[in-house]
Amino acid sequence: MPAHGLDLSRIAAPMVNQSDLPFRILVRRYNTSLVYTQMLLPDRLLNDQDYLEFHTRGLREDYDSPVVVQLCGNDPDVVVRAAKTVVDRADAVGVRVDLNLGCPQDAAREGHYGGYLLGQKDWPLVESIVSALSHSLPIPVSAKIRLCQNVSATPALGVRLEAAGASWIALHARHVSARRRRQGAADLSQVKTLKERVNVPVVSNGNVRTWEDVIANHAETGADGIMVGETLLANPCLFANATPDPVKISLEYLDICREHPDTATIETIQAHVRHFVDHQCGRRPWYNKFRAALTRCGTVDEIERLLRVRVQRWRGLAPLAEDETEDDEAEAAEDDDGARKVQGDGGDEAMAATSILP
């Protein structure tokens, strides 16, 4: 079901330091229908010009649309004022009422926002934030939530968010956990229950590792769309039902980074490349060597060289450069050693390299 003309069927979830512009462009090329920015902090949007400029650079240009800007916070006035700094660069604003646990989530607990607003005592505050945004902005407002501690209360929260003005609700059907980012499988039956209780579109988030999981999730929940996070980091072609060659998809991402400079930090770029390679090569004997080499790379060009020459050699494949010469004898020796270790599985890698997306 569309929401205000937006296709909610295949969504890239907001991910801390990973929903950068080049990645958003990449997943769109492979059948993702809607992307989110990472969760942005209202205080910094209002008070840190560098932060505002970095996170809005290229936002909603032709190559970055449609896009949902995700905000958090616990002060309706501050959240609305922050939303107004980006409203002209967004197709929708998402209010985050869920957070996986990890480093940012400690900040969420201390700042009393995100998943720490799911308790019933805070529902009026959450409603006031959604209501203030929906009445103040000319674009739709959505809410992304997790299961309430009392699971049976989750549909009631959804009903109240709809009444407050949420145009759609995304449910990650896990609890907020203070100890683990994942507490077992997502309870997709709760997505189905929420779908039955509200009239706005419902997006299901959780339990997707393959394209078959996307289909199964939709069949089980009846959701209007499927949102995927970490699995897209590993395979940005998931929604195209394809698995790309890890080196070639990394090089494609690097090309986008060059086309849109200063939209992703070198640390973010390294993390994406690591995810792409880990997805298919994480168990290879040379993988730890690759991670160490990637960490030492300080530029996009250095990462590209690592991928085109050394990673290809470790995979038992020819370098992806016609005029490449090796000046560093120590590096060459190290690569030859890696190549010998993977000789036994070079055939599998070569097969994968020839089955790239057209």
Side-chain angles (χ1 to χ4, degrees):
M1 179 191 299
H4 298 267
L6 299 176
D7 183 353
L8 305 179
S9 59
R10 303 170 306 281
I11 302 177
M15 293 175 283
V16 176
N17 295 329
Q18 299 283 270
S19 296
D20 52 288
L21 174 65
F23 184 73
R24 299 196 303 265
I25 293 173
L26 181 66
V27 295
R28 277 196 188 90
R29 291 180 178 179
Y30 296 101
N31 213 31
T32 295
S33 64
L34 184 64
V35 300
Y36 280 61
T37 68
Q38 73 172 65
M39 181 183 68
L40 302 181
L41 304 175
D43 284 339
R44 295 198 65 183
L45 288 174
L46 293 168
N47 301 308
D48 186 337
Q49 188 64 26
D50 290 340
Y51 182 88
L52 173 64
E53 290 179 1
F54 179 80
H55 287 291
T56 57
R57 193 167 290 139
L59 194 62
R60 211 194 176 203
E61 297 291 343
D62 291 343
Y63 47 76
D64 190 33
S65 181
V67 60
V68 180
V69 173
Q70 183 160 89
L71 302 175
C72 64
N74 59 15
D75 183 323
D77 178 65
V78 172
V79 176
V80 168
R81 286 193 291 119
K84 288 180 177 179
T85 68
V86 298
V87 67
D88 293 333
R89 311 178 197 186
D91 294 279
V93 168
V95 179
R96 188 153 191 169
V97 196
D98 101 84
L99 277 176
N100 295 344
L101 267 290
C103 180
Q105 290 71 12
D106 289 336
R109 180 168 49 225
E110 293 169 6
H112 194 56
Y113 59 81
Y116 301 99
L117 294 179
L118 284 172
Q120 285 185 259
K121 66 182 179 62
D122 287 314
W123 286 8
L125 174 58
V126 173
E127 291 172 277
S128 68
I129 294 172
V130 172
S131 179
L133 287 168
S134 65
H135 284 90
S136 302
L137 305 179
I139 58 177
V141 174
S142 66
K144 184 174 185 294
I145 67 175
R146 282 201 177 211
L147 296 175
C148 297
Q149 197 60 41
N150 176 5
V151 174
S152 62
T154 306
L157 173 60
V159 169
R160 292 174 67 159
L161 291 172
E162 177 182 11
S167 293
W168 73 87
I169 300 169
L171 174 59
H172 186 168
R174 288 186 174 93
H175 292 287
V176 170
S177 166
R179 299 193 176 200
R180 295 179 57 190
R181 294 173 62 246
R182 294 281 186 272
Q183 288 276 16
D187 185 356
L188 298 183
S189 68
Q190 297 303 318
V191 179
K192 181 179 181 180
T193 299
L194 177 63
K195 174 65 180 169
E196 293 168 348
R197 288 285 301 277
V198 299
N199 295 310
V200 295
V202 170
V203 173
S204 178
N205 181 204
N207 293 4
V208 170
R209 292 290 178 268
T210 65
W211 174 248
E212 289 71 25
D213 292 337
V214 173
I215 296 172
N217 190 312
H218 184 269
E220 180 174 349
T221 64
D224 299 281
I226 305 298
M227 176 181 283
V228 180
E230 290 187 1
T231 298
L232 273 180
L233 292 179
N235 179 10
C237 307
L238 172 75
F239 285 132
N241 188 21
T243 301
D245 177 83
V247 167
K248 291 186 177 180
I249 198 67
S250 296
L251 294 174
E252 183 175 354
Y253 172 72
L254 294 182
D255 284 343
I256 300 172
C257 290
R258 287 195 181 92
E259 292 168 8
H260 303 279
D262 302 319
T263 57
T265 65
I266 192 65
E267 292 80 12
T268 291
I269 295 170
Q270 289 170 328
H272 278 301
V273 171
R274 184 174 66 250
H275 284 303
F276 299 154
V277 175
D278 175 68
H279 180 51
Q280 296 181 58
C281 304
R283 295 181 180 274
R284 300 299 184 188
W286 49 264
Y287 180 71
N288 287 338
K289 187 187 301 183
F290 158 73
R291 288 193 58 167
L294 179 64
T295 301
R296 292 192 294 271
C297 292
T299 66
V300 169
D301 288 345
E302 290 177 358
I303 297 174
E304 178 176 6
R305 176 180 170 80
L306 171 65
L307 291 163
R308 286 185 176 277
V309 180
R310 302 182 72 189
V311 173
Q312 284 294 93
R313 184 176 290 118
W314 289 333
R315 298 171 73 198
L317 301 171
L320 293 174
E322 295 179 0
D323 58 349
E324 191 63 58
T325 59
E326 189 64 75
D327 298 324
D328 188 336
E329 293 183 1
E331 181 180 287
E334 181 181 23
D335 289 349
D336 288 343
D337 179 61
R340 283 194 296 272
K341 290 181 179 179
V342 299
Q343 267 185 338
D345 55 24
D348 292 341
E349 296 284 2
M351 180 69 73
T354 59
S355 59
I356 285 300
L357 293 174

